[in-house]
Amino acid sequence: MANDMMVKELEQVVVRFSGDSGDGMQLAGNIFSTVSATVGNDISTFPDFPADIRAPQGSLNGVSGYQVHIGAGKVFTPGDQCDVLVAMNAAALKMQYKYAKPTGCIIIDTDCFQPGDLQKAAFATKDAIEELGIKQEVIAAPISQMVKDCLADSGMDNKAMLKCRNMFTVGLVCWLFNRDLTIVENLLREKFGKRPEVAEANLKVVHAGYDYGHNTHAWVAHTYKIGSHPKTPGRYMDITGNKATAYGFIAAAEKAGLKLFLGSYPITPATDVLHELAKHKSLGVVTVQCEDEIAGCSTAVGASFGGALAVTTTSGPGICLKSEAINLAVITELPLVVLDVQRGGPSTGLPTKSEQADLLQALFGRNGESPMPVLAATSPTHCFDAAYTACKIALEHLTPVILLSDGFVANGSGAWKLPDLTNYPEIRPQYVTAQMKENYSPYRRNPANGVRYWAVPGQEGYTHILGGLEKDNQTGAISTDADNHDLMCRLRAEKIARIPVPDLQVEGCADDAELLIVGFGSTYGHLYSAMSELNETGRKVALAHFSFLNPLPKNSAEVLTRYKKVVVAEQNLGQFAGYLRMKIDHFTPYQFNEIKGQPFVVSELVAAFTELLNN
């Protein structure tokens, strides 16, 4: 497989695989990104797929895409546009060509640009390239036919052979970027371990794609190689946000010496956390797939009462359904972690698209005074730390905690250094002690932090009642006394307010910025990239990005009122900006809001922030 062409070294490249939702584009992109992470590149990925279980083949609604940004150094976003676009059919080209850079190239399967394919994709002419006005270099190859020729003696039927088309493009792109197929071979043999004949067919097609590039390389002047800058020594893996979240929960349970219990109801895009945790029974993980969202949360509350680290996961409308059971954990002051992988709404909305529109629901979406800590993950790899921290807060402060993720960070992936858990802080729940047995009350509190002492059922001498009715602060008995209720509401709120969180950090031109960009959660990479681009042009811009949303860092007001111009950028219509105005006197920021179901586009951010700077 030696490549005798000149090899040009690049610092970064963006590749987008696209095709019909049945063409295996997610697998193709995932394999190429894993190969890149394995050889030491940093990566950021964006799987972009339809909500339909199976849209009509060849239709515009059925187009599925997977974009990966590969860098020699640190990369923060999947990229605004791609250097290489793979379009497996006419519909994919029509929907995805807008993502190709003017200097990029487009690879198409000409076998899927027949009159019927063009008609399904709503083309008016027989020449899709000319009709779309595509100026990029187009590599047109009869991929379907070559795959069938490659597998002619495999004994597979026509439909089964064509399912391997995605691997032809993987081989071709691996050739273009000088990737070693050994890693691809190992990944495919692992994925299809129980079906070796399928693995070997895909491997044969991968090599055919690679050889096609090698043997017909007249259409490119160079092949390319993305170098790898030195990284912190250690073991790395390509990990999605959902998998990192699951691992964070497992690590926290291990650190706390507790069983991990997950009560959940499947919902896109949170279900992968349930799938992942269900694989780890050997680590003491207990998973229950419940009949609905309410049961998922209620079983977790019960498991928490029984002394487990309890988690429930959901997305979109599921967080609404869980609100009553979450509030039960609020009033009983039991540890619970609620993962909300946000998606486009309202109602069923955009199940496979990303949005930050559940913030106010997380902060206030329950009846009565029901304060809860709220955290947000900032990247796929940060999901591990965010999940671990959410569990630590829940267990040490006896409170439910909401962890906000979203479709972008949950399904996206990054190169993650496997952590050394000995470097992570201890998790020490505040249990009752032997000295408390004589005068135990379930709402006796530690005066240092306002946290009640946790008595796990089965401990002799600590019999107590917890429930949804208000309790007397002294005895734990049911109480409707007005003054007691006022006191209990204030004590619960004070306990949350006293949770220590790290100070808000300012990146970029922290001392003399003309503009401070403010964001939270998954938009970090895009906002950081926009700040960096502006600073490279000579402007002075800073970034303050929040992961802790309630309580806010204690220096939030000081930081946000320090700068003359502040813009809050978020993927909703202004929920975080409104929350900050409520919490910080005289704070009047500018706003940048989008709810398109897609990640921010860095170039659009730069343009909007430049306009603010110039006004």
Side-chain angles (χ1 to χ4, degrees):
M1 284 190 275
N3 191 345
D4 54 5
M5 295 187 69
M6 184 181 295
V7 178
K8 185 176 180 179
E9 188 150 329
L10 301 175
E11 279 293 306
Q12 57 184 2
V13 71
V14 179
V15 180
R16 189 177 183 97
F17 295 86
S18 65
D20 194 78
S21 58
D23 284 341
M25 293 297 96
Q26 303 301 315
L27 177 60
N30 183 262
I31 287 176
F32 186 67
S33 63
T34 300
V35 169
S36 301
T38 303
V39 298
N41 296 135
D42 199 33
I43 63 169
S44 177
T45 71
F46 174 47
D48 188 17
F49 44 87
D52 308 60
I53 293 175
R54 187 66 176 90
Q57 190 171 9
S59 67
L60 297 175
N61 287 339
V63 173
S64 177
Y66 188 106
Q67 185 161 304
V68 55
H69 185 180
I70 304 160
K74 181 68 177 174
V75 296
F76 292 93
T77 76
D80 288 358
Q81 292 182 302
C82 58
D83 300 280
V84 177
L85 171 64
V86 176
M88 297 298 285
N89 62 12
L93 181 65
K94 188 165 192 176
M95 296 295 290
Q96 305 283 304
Y97 84 96
K98 61 186 176 184
Y99 297 114
K101 293 179 180 176
T103 55
C105 73
I106 300 174
I107 300 170
I108 66 171
D109 180 0
T110 55
D111 292 329
C112 294
F113 281 74
Q114 301 305 309
D117 303 308
L118 295 170
Q119 185 178 7
K120 288 180 184 177
F123 280 100
T125 68
K126 295 181 180 180
D127 191 336
I129 305 300
E130 182 178 346
E131 184 174 331
L132 293 174
I134 292 175
K135 304 300 182 185
Q136 293 91 342
E137 181 180 15
V138 178
I139 314 306
I143 294 175
S144 294
Q145 187 58 52
M146 286 191 286
V147 169
K148 288 191 284 187
D149 292 343
C150 175
L151 299 176
D153 60 352
S154 67
M156 301 170 69
D157 60 32
N158 191 63
K159 184 177 180 181
M161 287 190 287
L162 289 178
K163 283 185 176 180
C164 300
R165 289 192 314 143
N166 57 337
M167 291 300 106
F168 189 96
T169 65
V170 170
L172 181 55
V173 174
C174 282
W175 170 79
L176 184 60
F177 293 103
N178 283 274
R179 294 309 195 202
D180 186 353
L181 292 189
T182 303
I183 303 172
V184 180
E185 293 169 356
N186 293 336
L187 289 170
L188 287 173
R189 288 195 172 105
E190 180 180 352
K191 178 172 180 59
F192 298 108
K194 296 182 179 179
R195 302 176 66 191
E197 71 285 357
V198 175
E200 293 309 312
N202 278 281
L203 286 171
K204 191 172 183 180
V205 173
V206 166
H207 283 273
Y210 190 101
D211 293 341
Y212 175 80
H214 183 272
N215 295 330
T216 62
H217 50 53
W219 45 268
V220 291
H222 311 87
T223 59
Y224 302 91
K225 181 179 180 181
I226 301 97
S228 178
H229 295 169
K231 289 182 171 62
T232 305
R235 295 179 64 193
Y236 287 79
M237 66 179 290
D238 174 17
I239 195 168
T240 66
N242 273 339
K243 181 175 283 192
T245 302
Y247 287 178
F249 292 149
I250 294 171
E254 178 74 19
K255 201 77 167 180
L258 298 175
K259 277 190 173 294
L260 174 62
F261 176 92
L262 173 68
S264 186
Y265 178 75
I267 184 170
T268 302
T271 309
D272 285 341
V273 178
L274 169 62
H275 291 167
E276 185 61 37
L277 289 177
K279 299 176 184 177
H280 298 289
K281 293 179 182 178
S282 63
L283 298 177
V285 179
V286 177
T287 56
V288 177
Q289 180 177 318
C290 298
E291 66 271 23
D292 56 36
E293 295 283 3
I294 303 169
C297 193
S298 297
T299 57
V301 173
S304 177
F305 179 73
L309 169 54
V311 177
T312 187
T313 57
T314 191
S315 179
I319 194 70
C320 305
L321 292 165
K322 290 184 187 293
S323 62
E324 183 179 3
I326 293 172
N327 239 3
L328 178 59
V330 170
I331 198 167
T332 55
E333 298 185 56
L334 285 169
L336 173 70
V337 177
V338 181
L339 172 67
D340 177 16
V341 185
Q342 300 168 97
R343 69 188 207 185
S347 188
T348 312
L350 305 174
T352 62
K353 306 302 180 183
S354 191
E355 198 168 290
Q356 291 185 301
D358 292 353
L359 176 60
L360 295 184
Q361 172 81 12
L363 291 167
F364 306 115
R366 296 164 296 282
N367 67 294
E369 295 292 332
S370 51
M372 285 174 54
V374 179
L375 287 73
T378 59
S379 71
T381 54
H382 178 246
C383 284
F384 178 89
D385 286 355
Y388 185 94
T389 302
C391 293
K392 178 177 171 66
I393 291 174
L395 289 169
E396 292 187 342
H397 296 271
L398 267 68
T399 177
V401 177
I402 290 184
L403 173 58
L404 294 175
S405 172
D406 60 37
F408 171 61
V409 296
N411 292 321
S413 64
W416 181 57
K417 182 177 180 291
L418 272 64
D420 181 353
L421 281 185
T422 60
N423 296 328
Y424 277 68
E426 295 295 326
I427 298 178
R428 296 175 178 172
Q430 187 171 278
Y431 293 113
V432 292
T433 64
Q435 292 75 23
M436 297 178 185
K437 188 177 294 187
E438 295 302 321
N439 59 349
Y440 172 70
S441 165
Y443 292 104
R444 178 176 175 179
R445 299 177 187 275
N446 184 336
N449 56 19
V451 177
R452 78 176 187 89
Y453 293 93
W454 192 12
V456 176
Q459 293 178 274
E460 185 179 352
Y462 295 98
T463 303
H464 63 283
I465 298 172
L466 296 178
L469 292 173
E470 186 65 277
K471 302 297 189 295
D472 181 82
N473 180 52
Q474 297 297 320
T475 66
I478 294 172
S479 172
T480 58
D481 180 78
D483 290 336
N484 177 76
H485 177 59
D486 182 274
L487 175 63
M488 290 295 277
C489 286
R490 293 179 188 276
L491 289 173
R492 287 189 288 263
E494 181 184 355
K495 180 181 75 169
I496 304 305
R498 292 168 70 177
I499 293 172
V501 301
D503 278 350
L504 180 63
Q505 301 298 310
V506 181
E507 299 178 87
C509 301
D511 295 329
D512 56 352
E514 307 169 74
L515 175 69
L516 176 69
I517 303 168
V518 175
F520 78 95
S522 64
T523 57
Y524 172 77
H526 295 83
L527 298 180
Y528 182 90
S529 299
M531 176 198 71
S532 299
E533 286 193 24
L534 286 165
N535 287 338
E536 287 170 5
T537 67
R539 307 309 294 258
K540 292 185 176 181
V541 181
L543 171 65
H545 204 80
F546 287 79
S547 180
F548 292 89
L549 305 174
N550 189 43
L552 289 169
K554 292 190 182 301
N555 66 333
S556 296
E558 185 273 325
V559 168
L560 298 184
T561 57
R562 186 193 310 166
Y563 300 91
K564 184 176 180 181
K565 287 185 178 180
V566 181
V567 58
V568 180
E570 50 188 318
Q571 291 183 313
N572 55 49
L573 292 181
Q575 296 184 23
F576 192 45
Y579 174 58
L580 291 174
R581 283 195 295 268
M582 182 182 81
K583 301 292 284 187
I584 299 172
D585 292 340
H586 312 299
F587 181 58
T588 55
Y590 295 95
Q591 293 181 209
F592 181 90
N593 303 105
E594 281 187 353
I595 41 173
K596 298 181 178 180
Q598 299 287 319
F600 281 145
V601 176
V602 174
S603 59
E604 293 178 359
L605 292 171
V606 169
F609 297 158
T610 299
E611 185 176 349
L612 281 177
L613 285 163
N614 292 338
N615 288 338

